[in-house]
Short mmCIF file of all heavy atoms in Angstrom, two decimals:
data_model
loop_
_atom_site.label_atom_id
_atom_site.label_comp_id
_atom_site.label_asym_id
_atom_site.label_seq_id
_atom_site.Cartn_x
_atom_site.Cartn_y
_atom_site.Cartn_z
N MET M 855 -14.23 12.26 24.44
CA MET M 855 -13.24 11.40 25.03
C MET M 855 -11.80 11.74 24.50
O MET M 855 -11.66 12.08 23.29
CB MET M 855 -13.58 9.96 24.79
CG MET M 855 -14.97 9.64 25.32
SD MET M 855 -15.51 7.85 25.35
CE MET M 855 -15.14 7.42 23.81
N PRO M 856 -10.81 11.62 25.30
CA PRO M 856 -9.51 12.14 24.91
C PRO M 856 -8.83 11.39 23.71
O PRO M 856 -8.10 11.95 22.99
CB PRO M 856 -8.67 12.01 26.17
CG PRO M 856 -9.42 11.05 27.02
CD PRO M 856 -10.76 11.03 26.68
N VAL M 857 -9.03 10.11 23.62
CA VAL M 857 -8.25 9.25 22.67
C VAL M 857 -9.05 8.86 21.53
O VAL M 857 -8.76 8.94 20.30
CB VAL M 857 -7.57 8.07 23.24
CG1 VAL M 857 -6.82 7.21 22.30
CG2 VAL M 857 -6.65 8.46 24.44
N MET M 858 -10.28 8.24 21.81
CA MET M 858 -11.17 7.81 20.77
C MET M 858 -12.65 8.48 20.89
O MET M 858 -12.94 8.70 22.11
CB MET M 858 -11.39 6.32 20.76
CG MET M 858 -10.16 5.54 20.45
SD MET M 858 -10.48 3.64 20.27
CE MET M 858 -10.55 3.24 22.09
N ASP M 859 -13.26 8.60 19.78
CA ASP M 859 -14.64 9.06 20.04
C ASP M 859 -15.59 7.92 20.09
O ASP M 859 -15.09 6.72 20.09
CB ASP M 859 -15.04 9.91 18.80
CG ASP M 859 -15.23 9.29 17.48
OD1 ASP M 859 -15.36 8.03 17.47
OD2 ASP M 859 -15.17 9.95 16.40
N GLY M 860 -16.86 8.07 20.40
CA GLY M 860 -17.68 6.99 20.68
C GLY M 860 -17.90 5.98 19.55
O GLY M 860 -17.91 4.79 19.73
N GLU M 861 -17.85 6.50 18.27
CA GLU M 861 -17.87 5.52 17.21
C GLU M 861 -16.66 4.66 17.09
O GLU M 861 -16.73 3.45 16.80
CB GLU M 861 -18.13 6.33 15.84
CG GLU M 861 -19.41 6.99 15.76
CD GLU M 861 -19.43 7.82 14.45
OE1 GLU M 861 -19.19 7.28 13.37
OE2 GLU M 861 -20.03 8.88 14.51
N GLU M 862 -15.52 5.26 17.36
CA GLU M 862 -14.25 4.42 17.43
C GLU M 862 -14.28 3.36 18.51
O GLU M 862 -13.97 2.20 18.35
CB GLU M 862 -13.07 5.35 17.55
CG GLU M 862 -12.82 6.23 16.26
CD GLU M 862 -11.74 7.24 16.54
OE1 GLU M 862 -11.71 7.85 17.72
OE2 GLU M 862 -10.95 7.51 15.62
N VAL M 863 -14.86 3.76 19.69
CA VAL M 863 -14.88 2.81 20.82
C VAL M 863 -15.86 1.71 20.44
O VAL M 863 -15.53 0.56 20.70
CB VAL M 863 -15.41 3.57 22.08
CG1 VAL M 863 -15.77 2.58 23.18
CG2 VAL M 863 -14.38 4.54 22.58
N LEU M 864 -16.98 1.99 19.89
CA LEU M 864 -17.89 0.98 19.46
C LEU M 864 -17.33 0.04 18.46
O LEU M 864 -17.45 -1.22 18.52
CB LEU M 864 -19.22 1.61 18.91
CG LEU M 864 -20.41 0.65 18.54
CD1 LEU M 864 -20.73 -0.24 19.73
CD2 LEU M 864 -21.67 1.43 17.96
N ALA M 865 -16.64 0.58 17.46
CA ALA M 865 -15.98 -0.35 16.46
C ALA M 865 -14.91 -1.25 17.12
O ALA M 865 -14.91 -2.43 16.79
CB ALA M 865 -15.29 0.54 15.41
N TRP M 866 -14.15 -0.66 18.04
CA TRP M 866 -13.17 -1.40 18.78
C TRP M 866 -13.98 -2.56 19.50
O TRP M 866 -13.38 -3.76 19.51
CB TRP M 866 -12.31 -0.56 19.63
CG TRP M 866 -11.26 -1.27 20.36
CD1 TRP M 866 -9.97 -1.38 19.82
CD2 TRP M 866 -11.20 -1.97 21.52
NE1 TRP M 866 -9.15 -1.95 20.71
CE2 TRP M 866 -9.84 -2.43 21.73
CE3 TRP M 866 -12.16 -2.26 22.50
CZ2 TRP M 866 -9.52 -3.17 22.87
CZ3 TRP M 866 -11.81 -2.99 23.60
CH2 TRP M 866 -10.43 -3.47 23.85
N LEU M 867 -14.88 -2.25 20.20
CA LEU M 867 -15.71 -3.22 21.10
C LEU M 867 -16.21 -4.34 20.16
O LEU M 867 -16.20 -5.48 20.53
CB LEU M 867 -16.78 -2.57 21.79
CG LEU M 867 -16.39 -1.77 23.01
CD1 LEU M 867 -17.51 -0.95 23.61
CD2 LEU M 867 -15.79 -2.59 24.13
N ARG M 868 -16.71 -4.00 19.03
CA ARG M 868 -17.29 -4.99 18.07
C ARG M 868 -16.26 -5.97 17.54
O ARG M 868 -16.52 -7.07 17.30
CB ARG M 868 -18.08 -4.28 16.86
CG ARG M 868 -19.24 -3.69 17.27
CD ARG M 868 -20.24 -4.75 17.80
NE ARG M 868 -21.42 -4.20 18.61
CZ ARG M 868 -21.63 -4.43 19.89
NH1 ARG M 868 -20.81 -5.16 20.55
NH2 ARG M 868 -22.69 -3.89 20.36
N ILE M 869 -14.94 -5.51 17.51
CA ILE M 869 -13.93 -6.38 17.02
C ILE M 869 -13.46 -7.31 18.20
O ILE M 869 -13.23 -8.44 18.10
CB ILE M 869 -12.72 -5.54 16.56
CG1 ILE M 869 -13.10 -4.83 15.23
CG2 ILE M 869 -11.43 -6.47 16.34
CD1 ILE M 869 -12.08 -3.82 14.79
N HIS M 870 -13.30 -6.71 19.48
CA HIS M 870 -12.71 -7.35 20.54
C HIS M 870 -13.67 -8.08 21.46
O HIS M 870 -13.23 -8.87 22.19
CB HIS M 870 -11.75 -6.43 21.34
CG HIS M 870 -10.67 -5.91 20.57
ND1 HIS M 870 -9.52 -6.69 20.16
CD2 HIS M 870 -10.53 -4.65 19.90
CE1 HIS M 870 -8.76 -5.95 19.44
NE2 HIS M 870 -9.19 -4.74 19.19
N ALA M 871 -14.91 -7.57 21.51
CA ALA M 871 -15.97 -8.16 22.45
C ALA M 871 -17.37 -8.04 21.66
O ALA M 871 -18.19 -7.28 22.15
CB ALA M 871 -16.05 -7.53 23.64
N PRO M 872 -17.53 -8.72 20.57
CA PRO M 872 -18.68 -8.65 19.73
C PRO M 872 -19.95 -8.93 20.39
O PRO M 872 -21.15 -8.33 20.14
CB PRO M 872 -18.50 -9.43 18.63
CG PRO M 872 -17.56 -10.44 18.93
CD PRO M 872 -16.67 -9.77 19.96
N GLU M 873 -20.03 -9.75 21.52
CA GLU M 873 -21.19 -10.07 22.22
C GLU M 873 -21.58 -8.99 23.27
O GLU M 873 -22.66 -9.14 23.88
CB GLU M 873 -20.99 -11.42 22.85
CG GLU M 873 -20.09 -11.45 23.95
CD GLU M 873 -18.51 -11.28 23.63
OE1 GLU M 873 -18.20 -11.43 22.41
OE2 GLU M 873 -17.81 -11.03 24.54
N LEU M 874 -20.74 -8.08 23.61
CA LEU M 874 -20.94 -7.17 24.64
C LEU M 874 -22.09 -6.21 24.33
O LEU M 874 -21.95 -5.43 23.21
CB LEU M 874 -19.60 -6.40 24.93
CG LEU M 874 -19.71 -5.27 26.18
CD1 LEU M 874 -19.64 -6.14 27.41
CD2 LEU M 874 -18.42 -4.52 26.05
N PRO M 875 -23.12 -6.11 25.09
CA PRO M 875 -24.19 -5.12 24.91
C PRO M 875 -23.48 -3.63 25.19
O PRO M 875 -22.77 -3.45 26.16
CB PRO M 875 -25.31 -5.46 25.89
CG PRO M 875 -24.92 -6.77 26.46
CD PRO M 875 -23.51 -6.97 26.20
N VAL M 876 -23.98 -2.68 24.38
CA VAL M 876 -23.31 -1.18 24.57
C VAL M 876 -24.50 -0.38 24.65
O VAL M 876 -25.37 -0.41 23.80
CB VAL M 876 -22.44 -1.05 23.42
CG1 VAL M 876 -21.88 0.44 23.43
CG2 VAL M 876 -21.23 -2.00 23.23
N LEU M 877 -24.39 0.53 25.64
CA LEU M 877 -25.35 1.64 25.86
C LEU M 877 -24.61 2.98 25.47
O LEU M 877 -23.69 3.32 26.16
CB LEU M 877 -26.05 1.70 27.19
CG LEU M 877 -26.91 2.84 27.53
CD1 LEU M 877 -28.19 2.68 26.52
CD2 LEU M 877 -27.40 2.85 28.96
N VAL M 878 -25.00 3.65 24.45
CA VAL M 878 -24.38 4.89 24.02
C VAL M 878 -25.18 6.01 24.57
O VAL M 878 -26.45 6.12 24.36
CB VAL M 878 -24.37 4.90 22.49
CG1 VAL M 878 -23.81 6.17 21.99
CG2 VAL M 878 -23.60 3.69 21.87
N LEU M 879 -24.54 6.91 25.16
CA LEU M 879 -25.08 8.16 25.79
C LEU M 879 -24.52 9.30 24.97
O LEU M 879 -23.31 9.42 24.72
CB LEU M 879 -24.79 8.26 27.15
CG LEU M 879 -24.87 7.15 28.10
CD1 LEU M 879 -24.31 7.33 29.43
CD2 LEU M 879 -26.35 6.70 28.16
N SER M 880 -25.41 10.27 24.58
CA SER M 880 -24.89 11.35 23.83
C SER M 880 -25.90 12.56 24.05
O SER M 880 -27.09 12.39 24.19
CB SER M 880 -24.81 11.10 22.33
OG SER M 880 -24.44 12.24 21.65
N GLY M 881 -25.30 13.73 23.92
CA GLY M 881 -26.29 14.91 24.08
C GLY M 881 -26.35 15.75 22.78
O GLY M 881 -26.94 16.75 22.73
N PHE M 882 -25.84 15.20 21.68
CA PHE M 882 -25.91 15.84 20.44
C PHE M 882 -25.87 14.95 19.25
O PHE M 882 -25.36 13.77 19.42
CB PHE M 882 -24.79 16.92 20.27
CG PHE M 882 -23.34 16.44 20.38
CD1 PHE M 882 -22.76 16.02 19.22
CD2 PHE M 882 -22.78 16.27 21.61
CE1 PHE M 882 -21.37 15.55 19.24
CE2 PHE M 882 -21.44 15.76 21.61
CZ PHE M 882 -20.82 15.44 20.48
N GLY M 883 -26.26 15.34 18.08
CA GLY M 883 -26.17 14.53 16.97
C GLY M 883 -27.00 13.30 16.94
O GLY M 883 -26.68 12.17 16.51
N GLU M 884 -28.05 13.26 17.75
CA GLU M 884 -28.93 12.16 18.02
C GLU M 884 -29.41 11.47 16.70
O GLU M 884 -29.25 10.21 16.63
CB GLU M 884 -30.10 12.43 18.87
CG GLU M 884 -29.70 12.99 20.27
CD GLU M 884 -30.89 13.45 21.03
OE1 GLU M 884 -32.01 12.95 20.89
OE2 GLU M 884 -30.65 14.26 21.90
N ARG M 885 -30.00 12.16 15.77
CA ARG M 885 -30.61 11.49 14.60
C ARG M 885 -29.57 10.70 13.78
O ARG M 885 -29.70 9.58 13.41
CB ARG M 885 -31.31 12.46 13.70
CG ARG M 885 -32.55 12.99 14.19
CD ARG M 885 -33.24 13.87 13.23
NE ARG M 885 -34.43 14.45 13.86
CZ ARG M 885 -35.10 15.42 13.48
NH1 ARG M 885 -34.69 16.07 12.42
NH2 ARG M 885 -36.24 15.86 14.11
N GLU M 886 -28.36 11.37 13.56
CA GLU M 886 -27.25 10.71 12.77
C GLU M 886 -26.75 9.52 13.58
O GLU M 886 -26.47 8.48 13.10
CB GLU M 886 -26.25 11.75 12.45
CG GLU M 886 -25.13 11.18 11.61
CD GLU M 886 -24.06 12.23 11.21
OE1 GLU M 886 -24.50 13.32 10.93
OE2 GLU M 886 -22.89 11.89 11.46
N LEU M 887 -26.57 9.68 14.83
CA LEU M 887 -26.02 8.67 15.70
C LEU M 887 -26.95 7.43 15.83
O LEU M 887 -26.45 6.33 15.59
CB LEU M 887 -25.77 9.22 17.11
CG LEU M 887 -25.15 8.22 18.06
CD1 LEU M 887 -23.84 7.71 17.70
CD2 LEU M 887 -25.03 8.83 19.54
N VAL M 888 -28.24 7.71 15.97
CA VAL M 888 -29.10 6.60 15.95
C VAL M 888 -29.16 5.87 14.70
O VAL M 888 -29.14 4.59 14.70
CB VAL M 888 -30.60 7.08 16.42
CG1 VAL M 888 -31.63 6.00 16.24
CG2 VAL M 888 -30.62 7.59 17.82
N ARG M 889 -29.11 6.59 13.57
CA ARG M 889 -29.07 5.94 12.30
C ARG M 889 -27.78 5.02 12.11
O ARG M 889 -27.96 3.99 11.63
CB ARG M 889 -29.12 7.01 11.17
CG ARG M 889 -29.30 6.48 9.80
CD ARG M 889 -29.45 7.56 8.73
NE ARG M 889 -28.64 8.85 8.90
CZ ARG M 889 -29.12 9.97 9.18
NH1 ARG M 889 -30.36 10.18 9.19
NH2 ARG M 889 -28.32 10.90 9.38
N ASP M 890 -26.71 5.44 12.64
CA ASP M 890 -25.48 4.75 12.51
C ASP M 890 -25.63 3.52 13.44
O ASP M 890 -25.07 2.50 13.11
CB ASP M 890 -24.29 5.59 13.00
CG ASP M 890 -23.89 6.63 11.92
OD1 ASP M 890 -24.48 6.49 10.64
OD2 ASP M 890 -23.22 7.59 12.18
N LEU M 891 -26.21 3.66 14.57
CA LEU M 891 -26.23 2.59 15.50
C LEU M 891 -27.09 1.47 15.04
O LEU M 891 -26.93 0.25 15.19
CB LEU M 891 -26.80 3.09 16.93
CG LEU M 891 -25.85 3.99 17.73
CD1 LEU M 891 -26.57 4.38 19.00
CD2 LEU M 891 -24.57 3.11 18.01
N GLU M 892 -28.11 1.83 14.25
CA GLU M 892 -29.12 0.91 13.70
C GLU M 892 -28.30 -0.07 12.69
O GLU M 892 -28.76 -1.19 12.52
CB GLU M 892 -30.15 1.53 12.95
CG GLU M 892 -31.19 2.19 13.88
CD GLU M 892 -32.29 3.03 13.17
OE1 GLU M 892 -32.20 3.28 11.99
OE2 GLU M 892 -33.22 3.39 13.95
N LYS M 893 -27.25 0.40 12.21
CA LYS M 893 -26.41 -0.36 11.17
C LYS M 893 -25.36 -1.22 12.02
O LYS M 893 -24.84 -2.20 11.39
CB LYS M 893 -25.69 0.52 10.25
CG LYS M 893 -26.53 1.38 9.34
CD LYS M 893 -25.69 2.42 8.60
CE LYS M 893 -26.49 3.42 7.98
NZ LYS M 893 -25.74 4.49 7.36
N SER M 894 -25.28 -0.99 13.20
CA SER M 894 -24.19 -1.66 13.99
C SER M 894 -24.60 -3.10 14.39
O SER M 894 -25.71 -3.47 14.49
CB SER M 894 -23.90 -0.98 15.41
OG SER M 894 -23.03 -1.67 16.21
N GLU M 895 -23.69 -3.95 14.32
CA GLU M 895 -23.84 -5.29 14.69
C GLU M 895 -23.98 -5.50 16.28
O GLU M 895 -23.45 -4.63 16.99
CB GLU M 895 -22.65 -6.25 14.27
CG GLU M 895 -22.33 -6.28 12.80
CD GLU M 895 -23.51 -7.16 12.12
OE1 GLU M 895 -23.92 -8.15 12.67
OE2 GLU M 895 -23.87 -6.77 10.89
N GLY M 896 -24.62 -6.41 16.80
CA GLY M 896 -24.68 -6.66 18.23
C GLY M 896 -25.77 -5.91 18.88
O GLY M 896 -26.49 -5.06 18.18
N ARG M 897 -25.84 -5.97 20.16
CA ARG M 897 -26.85 -5.26 20.91
C ARG M 897 -26.30 -3.82 21.33
O ARG M 897 -25.41 -3.82 22.02
CB ARG M 897 -27.11 -6.09 22.18
CG ARG M 897 -27.73 -7.46 21.74
CD ARG M 897 -28.39 -8.11 22.88
NE ARG M 897 -29.51 -7.39 23.35
CZ ARG M 897 -30.31 -7.86 24.29
NH1 ARG M 897 -30.07 -8.99 24.91
NH2 ARG M 897 -31.45 -7.11 24.75
#
């Protein structure tokens, strides 16, 4: 993404819309990404 990466978008969403469910799509770095998502607040 041109301005923010997915982790930055998720962090922004958790601040501004913590109740919003988020579906993350990715084609690489799955293990590390899933591990980080498990630590994330919200759905």
Side-chain angles (χ1 to χ4, degrees):
M855 297 189 313
V857 177
M858 291 189 281
D859 65 23
E861 290 180 46
E862 293 170 320
V863 171
L864 182 57
W866 187 92
L867 287 171
R868 287 297 164 243
I869 292 168
H870 299 285
E873 71 289 345
L874 183 71
V876 176
L877 179 59
V878 177
L879 311 173
S880 180
F882 59 92
E884 294 175 28
R885 287 184 183 166
E886 183 177 314
L887 180 59
V888 169
R889 188 174 39 240
D890 290 344
L891 291 177
E892 289 173 350
K893 299 174 192 172
S894 176
E895 297 286 325
R897 296 192 68 177

